[in-house]
Amino acid sequence: MYQHIFVPLDGSAISAALTRQALDFAAAVGARVTFFHAVADFGATDAGALERSLDPAAFAQRLADEARAVLEPAEQAGAAAGIPWRALWAVSDHPHQAILQQAEKLGADLIFIASHGRSGLQRLVLGSETARLLAEARLPVLVARVAQD
């Protein structure tokens, strides 16, 4: 059914629970997993642009460290579960677009994403990357309801 599951992680408290659910699902269907994180484009801010121009290596390392902090727990969980996995990241201020681009580029056949559970006015004001992703996705999206630990 599904052979390649794409799992976007945002580093929030629900990322660990989403990782566990995605790995359980992957094991059940015999799929491999790609964990993905979209790092905010700090370089688009005044401070970020200054840091990037003064010390490009330190700036690049800062972005990589942020991505590693989000992806490392998922990598460890994937290795412990014995599920084939890989981890990728990209810089983007539009995470839903980065998710869709990478999932399609890699040939994923399912995006497995969490819902933060926002509804009503909170969802309208704060927005929802999941809702944006659902509106634009051309491949199946499984939205997991994940309780925060």
Side-chain angles (χ1 to χ4, degrees):
M1 176 179 231
Y2 297 112
Q3 297 176 358
H4 183 190
I5 301 171
F6 194 85
V7 183
L9 301 171
D10 63 4
S12 69
I14 65 172
S15 288
L18 177 67
T19 297
R20 285 190 303 273
Q21 285 188 18
L23 289 169
D24 289 347
F25 184 78
V29 300
R32 69 185 192 279
V33 173
T34 296
F35 298 111
F36 176 77
H37 177 62
V39 177
D41 187 3
F42 178 64
T45 67
D46 290 340
L50 180 62
E51 182 180 329
R52 182 176 50 205
S53 64
L54 292 176
D55 193 348
F59 179 78
Q61 188 61 52
R62 175 189 183 129
L63 296 177
D65 289 346
E66 180 182 329
R68 286 268 66 51
V70 171
L71 294 170
E72 190 172 354
E75 294 170 354
Q76 291 172 355
I83 305 291
W85 62 270
R86 69 192 284 193
L88 303 170
W89 62 277
V91 176
S92 177
D93 277 337
H94 304 286
H96 72 285
Q97 291 174 348
I99 291 164
L100 292 171
Q101 289 170 354
Q102 290 297 316
E104 290 175 4
K105 177 182 172 184
L106 296 172
D109 46 21
L110 177 71
I111 297 173
F112 194 107
I113 193 166
S115 168
H116 281 274
R118 292 185 191 118
S119 61
L121 184 59
Q122 200 177 35
R123 181 175 175 185
L124 185 64
V125 173
L126 297 176
S128 166
E129 289 304 317
T130 301
R132 290 180 188 106
L133 187 117
L134 285 167
E136 296 180 25
R138 292 187 296 240
L139 62 149
V141 178
L142 189 154
V143 180
R145 181 79 166 175
V146 179
Q148 293 186 4
D149 294 335

